[in-house]
Amino acid sequence: MAEKLVEIENISAGIEEGQILDGVSLQIGPGQTHVLMGPNGAGKSTLGNVLMGNPVYRVSGGRILFDGQDITELGADKRAQLGMFMSFQNPLEVPGLSLEEFIRNAIRQKTGKPIKIFQFKKQLAEAMELLGMDESYAGRDLNVGFSGGEKKKAEILQLLMLRPKFAILDETDSGLDVDAVRTVSKGIEEYQKREEGSLLIITHSTRILESLHVDHAHIIVKGRLVASGGEELVAKVNEEGFEAFS
C-alpha cells in the first residue's frame, strides 16, 4: 500500500452549470480519519462525489490517486472494486432488492469470490446488533419505508460489511436525533479499529465527531480549502462558526 492512500492534487471540478471546486489538494494516509467541514454550498459533497467518480461532476483540472494509482478517469464501479465506499446524505430507495441481497451482491462484486452464506449471515447479524437494527430489516427492500435514522444505519451497516480501504461519509449525521447519532458513531468507531481503514467525514455539524478520533480537519469555503489542522480546528468551529474562515 502506498504511504498516502488518497492523493487529491489541485482538483477543479463542477457540474454543467459551472465550476464548484477550485484547486483542492488533500492527502489521506492509511488508517487516518479526516473531517471536511464548511457551510452549506461550500463544495463538501461535491468533493465526495468527485472522489467516488459520480458522472454528474466533471473534473476540469488536477488528478486523484488511490493507493498510488491514477483513478481520475475511472468510473464509480471500478473505484468501488479498488476499495472505495461512499455513504450518501439521502440514500436511495430500491424496491425489489432486499438490504441483505444488496450487501451480498456488493461484496461479491468487490471480491469476485463466492460468499460463505453462514459466515455472511453471522457477520450481518453481529453488525446489525451493534447498530441496534432489528434483523427483520435485512429482508426488507433497500431503504423502502425506512425512517431517516434507519437509512443512515443501513449505510453504516454496508460500511461494516464491505470493509473498504477508504470510506467517504457524506452528512451521515444529517437529520438524526442524539441517540441515532450516538449509534451511528459506534458503527464508525468499529470501522476505525481497522488499522488501514481510512475515513473522510463530510459534515457541517460537529455532533458526530464528539466520540470519534480525528487526525486532521479541513475547512472548505466557496470551493477552496481555506484551513487545515487537527482537533483544535473542530473546537474553533464550535466556538466561532464558519464566519471565522470566510
Side-chain angles (χ1 to χ4, degrees), residues 13-126:
I15 54 179
E16 187 175 340
E17 290 79 5
Q19 181 171 293
I20 300 173
L21 300 179
D22 183 11
V24 174
S25 295
L26 185 63
Q27 294 184 336
I28 301 173
Q32 291 184 346
T33 295
H34 287 236
V35 176
L36 182 65
M37 299 180 291
N40 289 331
K44 303 185 298 298
S45 294
T46 295
L47 181 58
N49 278 284
V50 168
L51 282 173
M52 200 63 219
N54 187 330
V56 172
Y57 297 86
R58 181 178 58 85
V59 174
S60 56
R63 64 175 186 163
I64 302 168
L65 278 71
F66 182 70
D67 207 4
Q69 177 181 344
D70 189 336
I71 63 168
T72 312
E73 302 298 328
L74 286 186
D77 58 334
K78 299 297 184 183
R79 300 188 196 201
Q81 288 175 358
L82 290 174
M84 297 180 68
F85 171 90
M86 184 173 180
S87 74
F88 297 96
Q89 184 174 352
N90 298 301
L92 294 175
E93 297 184 1
V94 185
L97 180 67
S98 73
L99 174 59
E100 179 178 340
E101 289 172 333
F102 177 81
I103 294 174
R104 192 165 64 237
N105 290 338
I107 293 174
R108 187 183 297 114
Q109 289 181 13
K110 178 189 172 189
T111 64
K113 300 176 181 178
I115 293 175
K116 298 179 180 178
I117 298 299
F118 177 80
Q119 182 179 0
F120 168 80
K121 286 185 174 290
K122 181 174 182 292
Q123 292 174 345
L124 184 66
E126 290 172 349

Side-chain angles (χ1 to χ4, degrees), residues 18-239:
Q19 181 171 293
I20 300 173
L21 300 179
D22 183 11
V24 174
S25 295
L26 185 63
Q27 294 184 336
I28 301 173
Q32 291 184 346
T33 295
H34 287 236
V35 176
L36 182 65
M37 299 180 291
N40 289 331
K44 303 185 298 298
S45 294
T46 295
L47 181 58
N49 278 284
V50 168
L51 282 173
M52 200 63 219
N54 187 330
V56 172
Y57 297 86
R58 181 178 58 85
V59 174
S60 56
R63 64 175 186 163
I64 302 168
L65 278 71
F66 182 70
D67 207 4
Q69 177 181 344
D70 189 336
I71 63 168
T72 312
E73 302 298 328
L74 286 186
D77 58 334
K78 299 297 184 183
R79 300 188 196 201
Q81 288 175 358
L82 290 174
M84 297 180 68
F85 171 90
M86 184 173 180
S87 74
F88 297 96
Q89 184 174 352
N90 298 301
L92 294 175
E93 297 184 1
V94 185
L97 180 67
S98 73
L99 174 59
E100 179 178 340
E101 289 172 333
F102 177 81
I103 294 174
R104 192 165 64 237
N105 290 338
I107 293 174
R108 187 183 297 114
Q109 289 181 13
K110 178 189 172 189
T111 64
K113 300 176 181 178
I115 293 175
K116 298 179 180 178
I117 298 299
F118 177 80
Q119 182 179 0
F120 168 80
K121 286 185 174 290
K122 181 174 182 292
Q123 292 174 345
L124 184 66
E126 290 172 349
M128 293 186 78
E129 182 179 4
L130 177 72
L131 295 171
M133 294 185 71
D134 190 299
E135 287 190 31
S136 66
Y137 278 82
R140 291 177 56 177
D141 288 358
L142 179 63
N143 293 325
V144 176
F146 287 25
S147 68
E150 295 298 341
K151 286 182 179 181
K152 298 300 178 69
K153 288 181 184 179
E155 294 280 290
I156 301 303
L157 178 65
Q158 295 166 42
L159 170 70
L160 295 177
M161 292 298 294
L162 287 167
R163 298 174 61 85
K165 294 180 184 177
F166 174 57
I168 305 159
L169 306 183
D170 185 15
E171 303 281 7
T172 300
D173 54 343
S174 176
L176 299 184
D177 61 28
V178 174
D179 290 336
V181 169
R182 189 177 296 116
T183 300
V184 166
S185 294
K186 187 186 299 183
I188 298 172
E189 282 184 280
E190 185 67 24
Y191 173 81
Q192 284 184 316
K193 292 177 182 178
R194 294 184 58 210
E195 293 183 0
E196 295 182 348
S198 301
L199 280 170
L200 177 63
I201 300 175
I202 298 171
T203 184
H204 67 268
S205 168
T206 60
R207 290 189 309 163
I208 198 169
L209 307 177
E210 293 175 359
S211 61
L212 300 176
H213 169 73
V214 173
D215 295 294
H216 300 281
H218 312 277
I219 307 295
I220 188 169
V221 176
K222 296 180 180 178
R224 298 184 64 87
L225 284 184
V226 297
S228 293
E231 291 185 337
E232 78 284 349
L233 194 56
V234 177
K236 185 174 181 179
V237 169
N238 278 332
E239 293 172 4

